């Protein structure tokens, strides 16, 4: 617990002092070191500051300072002991417990995109976070726990960022985490094959005056290229220990944890704080600004005065707002800063941000000249050769569209056998339950509710696996970034740059993480616009609907039909974005700045893990929302039991002589009962709205239930289009083809036909994003306004487009 949480008269043993810089040093010098007993004497009348007794004398700390000190109480120490322990915790045992608790080390992983942070995190903490070979894949902090040599490491994987200048949400997030969470050690993960660019972030961490260790990742690539790098010499030069690692293979991870322990226990001789020399003129300005900052001790207690001065010289908006809120003489400080900035820009003939950037790269260049020697071996630049075709102005688009077409064609054709196997298992299970239970609501629930509903969705598991195989391949090889690159010009015409294409491609997997990934976009209008058009990217939840309907009515052309649905989604996204950009989001042009990482051959382990992870998520949906939805839909379709039928079906069935006639009567009875059930009443209520689109009440209900999750559309159809138990062995796909209208003008005609099927798929593509997506839009936009607007405009657009397609198709067919 924190020292600030101890109440008057209570004791604790110090386990850790968090923070960095002058404040931490002063606290340690006052005797607040691990293992020392401390007593809370009293709180001030306004609860701040607090008086403590330590090492025989009294000292007061502000509550904000006491929050940086972690302590262990006798009760916590007792909880750390075995459950068998009963008795009094002695002072010696309390100190031992404090030592044990002090072995908990908080670590933050920072680094450039593609440096391998998340891979290292996954290996160290045994997590299964997604790793992608393009910038912005980690859009939020991921937490994990690792253990090594009786130490516990609480590891946080922070978003990938190139710097800490707070121009993007990632940069702000990383910097805020370091300043507010006070990690004991920051692990700076560096791509060994791109030292100069990666070390730029390191120079900013040096300025922050915090404990840093460099994980020199992908070290095998450096060796492979014949480069020679004296990383120990560089570590001594910059005061930061460097440990070579190959995260994808788990090499160097144990050595990294050993180094973390040494640095945490202040046993590593390499660690020292250095000042990067920014040149005579800049250093003079830094000193003058520092003198003004030093007038407020409370500011320098939390942030290094040199770091504040550097940020002010770079015109950092965040540091200005922070100082304005916490510094009484902010105006006089600003006056000094503006004067020094004007002087520097006048004498150096350049803006101050460029001056500091050049100085940092100059420092990096000088350090690498002393420690790094490029290899004599000149290998063929595979990435550049591949890019001559992949990103070519003529070939790039055909390659991209061919890859997308191949993905859907393969997804549809390869999985025929596994789908049949799963369908056979579902049918066998249904038959076993049907034959082993007496007729009644429980059997009906199991057979026509749970098995029919969940089973109709689970058979598409192989399709989902293949789909995510291709998405994983695009991400891990680095092709995803190229897709953004070749689409930049089109995206620019819409109103934003190619990086917006990354969330759109991710939307093919799931719209929720795709919407969260819009944080990689620096412009707020771009982020909101991308969120609003992202639902047009057909997520994997819609995919089972397409596979079912296209497979039923388009035969061998099903893959091409599904491909056309995806293309229409992309086209709609572009058109809607153009309209919205002119109406709501008239933003400035944002330059396209995005790393094109080298192509890397994805490991079978990584792709398999991704596919397995998505399969588990899909199956969890089966046992969660889809199971619940199937039960609700079944109940609404099963009750009420006593409804007035148009015929005395029971008598007619008894009088029938042929099995075919009996089965037909049973099916008619089941269909009429469903029409008059609660769900039938609901469907009939909304059917007039959907009838102009060619949809009957069953399709209408399926669309309605799909609001929860699009997979529920299939499970709903599985329940509503099923006949009685004797018809359970027929595949759902056959039922869609054979079901006919039983009454009205359309009596005797098929409910589904190719035109209705295509219109239905279009409606599923466009209408109401699922509830999880709506919540994600609300969270990422910061307002329900855009979430509700997304519901309204997508559903309206779905109705209009489906109406036009169906009515136009009907007119053409009648000519």
């Amino acid at each position: 617990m924190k020292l600030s949480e101890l109440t008057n008269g209570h004791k604790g043993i110090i386990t850790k002092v968090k923070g960095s810089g002058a404040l931490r040093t002063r606290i340690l010098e006052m005797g607040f070191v691990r293992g020392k007993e401390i007593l809370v004497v009293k709180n001030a009348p306004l609860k701040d500051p607090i008086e403590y007794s330590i090492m025989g004398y009294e000292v007061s700390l502000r509550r904000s300072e006491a929050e940086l000190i972690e302590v262990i109480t006798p009760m916590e120490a007792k909880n750390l002991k075995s459950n068998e322990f009963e008795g009094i915790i002695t002072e010696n045992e309390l100190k031992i417990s404090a030592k044990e608790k002090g072995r908990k080390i908080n670590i933050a992983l920072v680094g450039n995109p593609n440096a391998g942070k998340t891979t290292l995190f996954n290996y160290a903490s045994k997590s299964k976070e997604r790793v992608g070979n393009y910038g912005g894949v980690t859009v939020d902090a991921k937490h994990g726990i690792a253990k090594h040599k009786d130490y516990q490491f609480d590891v946080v994987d922070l978003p990938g960022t190139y710097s800490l200048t707070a121009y993007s949400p990632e940069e702000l997030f990383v910097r805020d985490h370091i300043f507010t969470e006070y990690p004991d050690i920051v692990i700076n993960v560096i791509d060994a094959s791109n030292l100069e660019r990666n070390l730029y972030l390191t120079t900013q961490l040096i300025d922050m005056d915090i404990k840093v260790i460099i994980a020199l990742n992908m070290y095998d690539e450096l060796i492979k290229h014949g480069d020679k790098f004296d990383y120990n010499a560089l570590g001594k030069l910059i005061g930061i220990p460097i440990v070579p690692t190959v995260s994808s293979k788990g090499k160097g991870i144990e050595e990294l944890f050993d180094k973390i322990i040494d640095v945490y226990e202040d046993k590593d001789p390499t660690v020292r704080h250095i000042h990067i020399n920014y040149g005579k003129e800049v250093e003079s300005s830094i000193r003058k600004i520092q003198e003004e900052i030093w007038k407020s001790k409370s500011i320098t207690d939390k942030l290094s005065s040199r770091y504040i001065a550097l940020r002010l010289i770079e015109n950092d908006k965040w540091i200005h707002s922070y100082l304005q809120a916490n510094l009484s003489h902010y105006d006089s400080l600003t006056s000094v800063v503006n004067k020094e900035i004007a002087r520097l820009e006048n004498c150096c003939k350049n803006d101050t941000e460029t001056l500091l950037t050049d100085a940092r790269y100059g420092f990096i260049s000088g350090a690498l000249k002393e420690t790094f020697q490029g290899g004599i071996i000149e290998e063929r630049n595979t990435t550049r050769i591949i890019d001559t075709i992949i990103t070519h102005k003529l070939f790039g688009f055909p390659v991209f569209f061919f890859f997308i077409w191949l993905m859907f064609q393969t997804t549809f054709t390869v999985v025929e056998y596994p789908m049949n196997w799963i369908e056979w298992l579902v049918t066998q299970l249904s038959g076993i339950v049907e034959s082993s239970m007496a007729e009644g609501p429980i059997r009906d629930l199991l057979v026509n509710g749970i098995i029919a509903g969940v089973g109709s969705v689970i058979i598409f598991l192989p399709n989902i696996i293949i789909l995510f195989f291709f998405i994983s391949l695009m991400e891990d090889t680095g092709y995803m970034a190229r897709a953004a690159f070749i689409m930049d010009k089109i995206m620019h015409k819409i109103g934003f740059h190619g990086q917006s294409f990354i969330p759109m491609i991710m939307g093919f997997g799931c719209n929720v993480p795709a919407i969260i990934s819009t944080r990689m976009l620096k412009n707020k209008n771009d982020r909101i616009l991308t969120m609003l058009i992202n639902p047009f990217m057909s997520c994997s939840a819609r995919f089972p609907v397409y596979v079912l309907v296209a497979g039923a009515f388009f035969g061998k052309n099903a893959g091409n039909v599904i491909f056309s649905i995806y293309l229409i989604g992309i086209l709609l996204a572009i058109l809607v974005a153009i309209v919205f950009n002119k109406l709501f989001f008239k933003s400035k042009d944002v330059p396209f700045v995005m790393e094109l990482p080298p192509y890397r051959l994805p490991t079978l382990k990584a792709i398999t893990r991704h596919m397995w992870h998505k399969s588990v998520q899909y199956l969890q949906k089966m046992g969660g929302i889809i199971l619940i939805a199937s039960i609700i839909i079944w109940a609404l379709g099963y009750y009420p039991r006593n409804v007035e039928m148009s015929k005395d079906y029971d008598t007619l069935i008894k009088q029938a002589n042929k099995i075919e006639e009996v089965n037909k009567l049973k099916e008619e009875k089941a269909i009429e009962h469903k029409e008059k059930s609660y769900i039938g009443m609901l469907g009939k209520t909304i059917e007039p709205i959907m009838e102009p689109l060619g949809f009957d009440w069953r399709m209408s209900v399926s669309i309605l239930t799909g609001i929860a999750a699009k997979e529920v559309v299939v499970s709903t159809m599985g329940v509503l289009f099923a006949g009685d138990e004797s018809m359970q062995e027929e595949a759902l796909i056959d039922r869609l083809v054979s079901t006919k209208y039983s009454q009205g003008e359309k009596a005797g005609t098929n409910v589904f036909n190719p035109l209705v099927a295509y219109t239905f798929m279009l409606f599923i593509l466009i209408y109401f994003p699922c509830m999880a997506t709506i919540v994600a839009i609300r969270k990422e936009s910061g307002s329900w306004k855009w979430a509700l607007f997304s519901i309204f405009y997508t559903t309206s657009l779905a109705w209009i487009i489906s109406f036009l397609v169906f009515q136009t198709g009907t007119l053409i067919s009648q000519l």
Side-chain angles (χ1 to χ4, degrees), residues 435-715:
S435 61
S436 60
M437 292 183 67
E439 186 176 351
I442 301 299
R443 186 180 79 169
D444 201 274
L445 168 62
L446 292 173
V447 174
N448 291 327
I450 295 174
I451 297 176
V454 176
S456 61
V457 179
I458 203 171
I459 63 171
F460 297 105
L461 178 61
N463 302 87
I464 300 299
I465 292 173
I466 296 295
L467 179 67
F468 277 105
F469 167 79
F470 276 94
I471 292 176
S472 178
L473 203 62
M474 290 175 70
E475 292 177 350
D476 291 355
T477 57
Y479 181 71
M480 189 76 87
R482 270 72 184 182
F485 176 79
I486 64 175
M487 291 297 293
D488 175 57
K489 191 168 185 178
I490 293 176
M491 302 301 286
H492 185 77
K493 296 290 184 183
I494 300 172
F496 40 57
H497 59 72
Q499 200 168 9
S500 298
F501 195 63
I502 296 293
M504 292 173 68
I505 291 291
M506 290 179 69
F508 288 146
C510 180
N511 294 140
V512 175
I515 286 169
I516 294 173
S517 74
T518 58
R519 295 178 194 175
M520 72 173 70
L521 303 173
K522 296 174 176 58
N523 184 283
K524 183 180 179 181
N525 285 347
D526 284 350
R527 290 199 297 274
I528 294 175
L529 181 55
T530 306
M531 289 178 213
L532 292 178
I533 67 172
N534 194 273
F536 292 127
M537 301 299 104
S538 286
C539 63
S540 59
R542 295 179 177 97
F543 195 64
V545 184
Y546 302 156
V547 173
L548 172 68
V549 178
F553 297 96
F554 298 100
K556 294 181 179 179
N557 294 316
N560 295 328
V561 169
I562 294 174
F563 179 56
S564 73
I565 294 292
Y566 278 77
L567 284 182
I568 289 171
I570 295 171
L571 181 62
L572 274 176
I574 292 171
L575 294 175
V576 169
I578 292 172
V579 173
F580 283 0
N581 207 37
K582 292 183 181 298
L583 293 177
F584 309 124
F585 306 108
K586 297 179 181 179
S587 58
K588 297 178 182 178
D589 273 351
V590 179
F592 181 77
V593 181
M594 183 178 178
E595 178 189 5
L596 293 179
Y599 288 104
R600 292 194 173 100
L601 191 65
T603 63
L604 180 62
K605 179 181 177 181
I607 291 181
T608 303
R609 183 171 60 188
H610 185 213
M611 292 163 62
W612 171 254
H613 184 53
K614 291 302 178 182
S615 300
V616 170
Q617 285 185 334
Y618 190 71
L619 292 173
Q620 285 173 340
K621 266 192 174 183
M622 301 303 103
I625 189 170
I626 293 174
L627 174 61
I628 294 170
S630 296
I631 293 172
I632 293 172
I633 294 162
W634 169 85
L636 292 173
Y638 189 76
Y639 296 102
R641 296 305 296 162
N642 298 319
V643 294
E644 186 177 343
M645 295 289 195
S646 61
K647 302 177 184 177
D648 186 355
Y649 286 103
D650 293 335
T651 302
L652 291 173
I653 290 171
K654 290 178 181 179
Q655 293 174 350
N657 297 319
K658 297 181 180 180
I659 295 176
E660 293 82 3
E661 189 178 352
V662 170
N663 289 338
K664 184 179 179 181
L665 287 168
K666 285 184 176 181
E667 183 178 358
E668 288 178 5
K669 177 184 177 182
I671 291 172
E672 186 174 346
H673 179 265
K674 278 191 176 131
E675 287 184 4
K676 295 180 177 180
S677 66
Y678 293 127
I679 202 165
M681 296 175 196
L682 176 63
K684 293 291 184 180
T685 302
I686 61 176
E687 188 178 31
I689 301 172
M690 309 305 287
E691 190 177 9
L693 314 183
F695 304 160
D696 81 327
W697 66 271
R698 282 163 288 212
M699 284 183 268
S700 303
V701 171
S702 299
I703 287 169
L704 191 63
T705 58
I707 290 172
K710 293 299 179 283
E711 297 100 331
V712 179
V713 172
V714 175
S715 62

Side-chain angles (χ1 to χ4, degrees), residues 241-279:
I242 300 177
V243 181
T245 60
V246 183
S247 298
S248 59
K249 299 176 182 176
K251 294 181 179 179
I253 306 299
E254 284 198 16
E255 291 80 358
L256 178 63
F257 280 130
D258 288 338
K259 186 62 67 176
I260 292 171
I261 294 169
D262 288 344
V263 172
Y264 177 71
E265 299 289 358
D266 297 318
K267 295 178 180 178
D268 192 283
T270 306
V271 178
R272 64 189 179 94
H273 179 56
I274 68 164
H275 286 172
I276 295 172
N277 191 331
Y278 288 96

Side-chain angles (χ1 to χ4, degrees), residues 118 130-140 142 475 506 520:
T118 304
R130 185 72 191 100
V131 181
N133 190 17
Y134 60 94
V137 69
T138 311
V139 294
D140 207 344
K142 308 293 189 301
E475 292 177 350
M506 290 179 69
M520 72 173 70

Side-chain angles (χ1 to χ4, degrees), residues 37 73 181 332 383 403 467 490 533 659 679 743 803:
E37 183 182 79
T73 63
E181 299 299 324
S332 62
T383 293
F403 191 86
L467 179 67
I490 293 176
I533 67 172
I659 295 176
I679 202 165
Q743 54 188 3
F803 174 82

